[in-house]
Amino acid sequence: MNMEIDDDTFQSTISRPQKPSRVVAPVDEAHPFDIESYISNYSGRTAIDRLIHIVQTCPSIAPEAFQLAVQHIHQSRNPGLYQNLLSAYEHAAATPNLPTSLPNPVELAPMNMAWADETATKNQSERTKLEVELKTYSNNMIKESIRSSDFDQMAHRDLGLFYRSVGEYSTALKHFAKIREYCATSQHVLDMCLSVLEILLEQRNYTHLSTYVFKADAALEASQNTANAGNGGGIGSSGVPTPSVTTGKKKSSLERQQVQSKLDLATALSHLGQSNYEKAAYSFLRIGSAKELGDWVGTVISPGDIAVYGTLCALSSLPRTALRTNLLDNPVFGVFIEQEPYIRELIEAYMSSDFKTVLELLNRYSTRHLIDIHLAPHIQELIDQIRNWAVVLYFQPFATIKLDRMSKAFGWTIEEVEKNVVQLIQSGKIQGRVDSQNKQGLRFGKILYAKKTDYRADLFARAIKTGTDIQSANRKLLLRMKL
């Protein structure tokens, strides 16, 4: 199996710092957000990254987020993250029209220099130790020590994990890439792919995720076939499988489900990151239970995130029949929804055509969406698509409808309704026209008329076109027969 990793590509896509977002998310009574409750769902690097994003996105709670981030940084092995946090805080402090200036970050939560020096010394010591071990194994040609079925004892694996923990992702990927040369089993390939996927998810490198999901999926299938072959011959004289074989198959099936759920999650985030919302929706709705995600819960994502991502992607791209089948009648995804109660309200309002409530909920929890590192770049487009779907669904049963009635249904002004309707007409999503000029429009207000379709004429036109196509095909066939 070819496991090539383009180091230059990874270097260019991973090590490049992301531009800070200019979106400012409010935190007030109209937009509630509990940062301590939110960040308690995460640990490790993802908690720090999310807090840094909150600092630069929500200046009103930047001091609190800054203090929490410093606490998490002191639990990590990467003192350099403090500088990233300071940059985000300075960006937040420079936000125009702040009610009050933000406090000095050094006075707010200073870096523990003793810890920083001690951590740097330990990191250097461990780096030297691991590199010496790898060199020793290589010199002695102990191939099993380099490849090793036990990844916890493997030199390249240990170095990859070390560089990942200190934030040197490009070096970590090089060591994980080195493992591919010594993968002797499909299980080795699978473990290596999962390690690479974890790094790509931490760095939000969505374009490369699908490549390693595909390779991991192939390795998972091969590993499962090998396991099934190894469990053969376990049938007793009575024709009943022996307990050891049955237990082994159950364990193998459980491990497969756990890996498959991780691959589904990686696929879903890849589609979301590349704005493929329909594919992302189906992938999120296919994810197994939180238990099957194992150690990815908290370190990569939280169950509430899956509910939010999956629901917003589904509402923005799927018709109602698909929503009912894949969302409402999905007991596994229903467990995720329980983590975010407002998501249940959002779905119920949408399915009952209470679109004013839908838009109010999206606005009320907009801060929850904007502070999410995976969702923030796409939330405005998702909301626009949900709003467009809502307008189209609302107009479907009517031949004519006054715009002021629509304004009451959506909580918009008539001007906002007209603007949205005209955009949908121009894009072809609504077949109709807005009458605001003639006497009837002046008397009753602006009216939206559905485009009348002459089904009889349409049928004749399609019949004539079909006959013309058949005649042309027959003429070409006769010409070939004469040649």
Side-chain angles (χ1 to χ4, degrees):
M1 181 180 295
N2 182 15
M3 301 300 298
E4 289 296 328
I5 297 180
D6 188 343
D7 293 335
D8 294 335
T9 301
F10 276 114
Q11 181 69 23
S12 62
T13 56
I14 287 183
S15 61
R16 183 189 303 122
Q18 295 187 350
K19 295 181 179 180
S21 173
R22 300 300 301 177
V23 177
V24 176
V27 178
D28 49 35
E29 292 183 359
H31 306 87
F33 178 68
D34 185 349
I35 186 173
E36 291 188 358
S37 175
Y38 172 78
I39 208 63
S40 64
N41 296 312
Y42 308 98
S43 61
R45 180 62 184 267
T46 188
I48 298 172
D49 288 343
R50 287 174 182 270
L51 284 167
I52 292 175
H53 182 68
I54 291 173
V55 166
Q56 64 184 16
T57 305
C58 302
S60 58
I61 58 172
E64 186 178 358
F66 185 90
Q67 291 175 316
L68 290 172
V70 171
Q71 294 176 13
H72 282 275
I73 290 173
H74 283 155
Q75 297 171 8
S76 72
R77 301 181 59 178
N78 187 3
L81 290 172
Y82 188 78
Q83 187 59 47
N84 296 344
L85 178 61
L86 281 176
S87 298
Y89 192 84
E90 291 173 359
H91 172 76
T95 303
N97 302 323
L98 285 178
T100 58
S101 59
L102 299 182
N104 189 324
V106 177
E107 297 176 357
L108 191 65
M111 167 69 77
N112 186 334
M113 298 308 299
W115 167 82
D117 293 339
E118 181 182 355
T119 301
T121 301
K122 288 182 178 179
N123 288 345
Q124 183 58 41
S125 176
E126 184 169 353
R127 177 189 285 108
T128 302
K129 173 178 172 290
L130 293 173
E131 289 177 350
V132 168
E133 286 182 356
L134 175 60
K135 186 176 181 180
T136 302
Y137 292 144
S138 300
N139 291 338
N140 294 334
M141 298 299 291
I142 307 178
K143 186 177 181 181
E144 182 64 20
S145 295
I146 297 177
R147 175 180 53 79
S148 183
S149 59
D150 183 1
F151 272 43
D152 291 333
Q153 302 296 325
M154 187 170 52
H156 279 295
R157 165 80 172 188
D158 290 343
L159 276 166
L161 292 174
F162 167 76
Y163 282 113
R164 175 186 171 189
S165 68
V166 299
E168 297 183 24
Y169 288 102
S170 59
T171 307
L173 281 167
K174 288 180 181 179
H175 283 283
F176 284 124
K178 191 68 176 178
I179 297 172
R180 74 183 185 273
E181 300 177 7
Y182 305 97
C183 289
T185 67
S186 55
Q187 185 62 44
H188 293 156
V189 176
L190 179 59
D191 291 339
M192 188 274 290
C193 288
L194 289 175
S195 297
V196 173
L197 285 173
E198 290 177 7
I199 294 179
L200 297 180
L201 287 170
E202 284 188 7
Q203 290 298 294
R204 301 187 287 284
N205 187 345
Y206 303 109
T207 56
H208 287 83
L209 283 172
S210 58
T211 300
Y212 285 90
V213 168
F214 176 77
K215 294 176 179 179
D217 204 19
L220 177 62
E221 187 67 28
S223 178
Q224 183 68 22
N225 293 338
T226 302
N228 291 338
N231 288 329
I235 306 299
S237 58
S238 60
V240 179
T242 61
S244 60
V245 173
T246 304
T247 303
K249 288 184 177 180
K250 288 182 178 179
K251 182 179 179 181
S252 177
S253 177
L254 178 61
E255 291 176 350
R256 178 183 176 85
Q257 291 175 2
Q258 292 174 340
V259 173
Q260 189 61 56
S261 291
K262 291 181 177 181
L263 298 183
D264 290 339
L265 174 59
T267 300
L269 289 174
S270 174
H271 290 315
L272 174 61
Q274 299 177 79
S275 302
N276 296 324
Y277 302 128
E278 182 176 0
K279 293 181 179 180
Y282 283 116
S283 297
F284 279 120
L285 296 173
R286 194 169 57 242
I287 294 173
S289 65
K291 183 179 179 181
E292 293 178 1
L293 291 173
D295 58 351
W296 280 24
V297 175
T299 59
V300 174
I301 203 170
S302 72
D305 291 336
I306 296 175
V308 174
Y309 301 166
T311 299
L312 293 180
C313 288
L315 294 181
S316 70
S317 59
L318 303 184
R320 282 189 172 181
T321 52
L323 288 175
R324 188 172 302 279
T325 302
N326 297 281
L327 184 60
L328 293 179
D329 298 337
N330 187 337
V332 176
F333 195 79
V335 177
F336 291 121
I337 292 177
E338 298 304 322
Q339 305 297 318
E340 297 285 348
Y342 81 93
I343 290 295
R344 176 72 66 185
E345 297 178 33
L346 181 65
I347 296 171
E348 291 175 353
Y350 187 90
M351 297 304 292
S352 61
S353 297
D354 186 1
F355 299 124
K356 184 177 181 180
T357 300
V358 169
L359 297 177
E360 288 175 349
L361 286 170
L362 289 173
N363 178 65
R364 179 173 177 80
Y365 294 96
S366 59
T367 299
R368 165 66 177 86
H369 303 152
L370 287 170
I371 55 88
D372 190 283
I373 55 178
H374 296 293
L375 188 61
H378 309 279
I379 186 59
Q380 190 56 54
E381 185 177 357
L382 287 169
I383 291 176
D384 289 344
Q385 291 191 18
I386 293 173
R387 184 184 61 242
N388 292 342
W389 265 106
V391 174
V392 171
L393 290 172
Y394 185 85
F395 178 63
Q396 274 182 349
F398 299 99
T400 62
I401 185 172
K402 292 189 290 184
L403 296 191
D404 63 346
R405 180 177 176 181
M406 293 184 68
S407 71
K408 294 176 183 178
F410 287 90
W412 296 337
T413 64
I414 294 180
E415 290 73 17
E416 289 175 329
V417 172
E418 184 176 13
K419 178 182 177 182
N420 283 281
V421 168
V422 169
Q423 288 177 348
L424 291 172
I425 292 174
Q426 292 175 343
S427 64
K429 294 179 180 178
I430 288 181
Q431 301 298 321
R433 62 185 179 86
V434 176
D435 186 351
S436 59
Q437 297 298 326
N438 61 26
K439 294 181 179 180
Q440 186 176 6
L442 294 173
R443 180 180 177 184
F444 297 105
K446 297 179 179 180
I447 300 175
L448 174 60
Y449 289 91
K451 182 180 179 181
K452 295 181 180 180
T453 303
D454 188 340
Y455 295 102
R456 178 184 177 87
D458 183 60
L459 176 62
F460 278 114
R462 285 190 284 114
I464 292 173
K465 183 178 184 303
T466 301
T468 303
D469 293 342
I470 293 175
Q471 186 180 31
S472 176
N474 289 341
R475 188 179 294 108
K476 292 176 181 179
L477 182 60
L478 291 173
L479 178 61
R480 292 192 188 97
M481 293 174 64
K482 291 180 179 180
L483 293 178

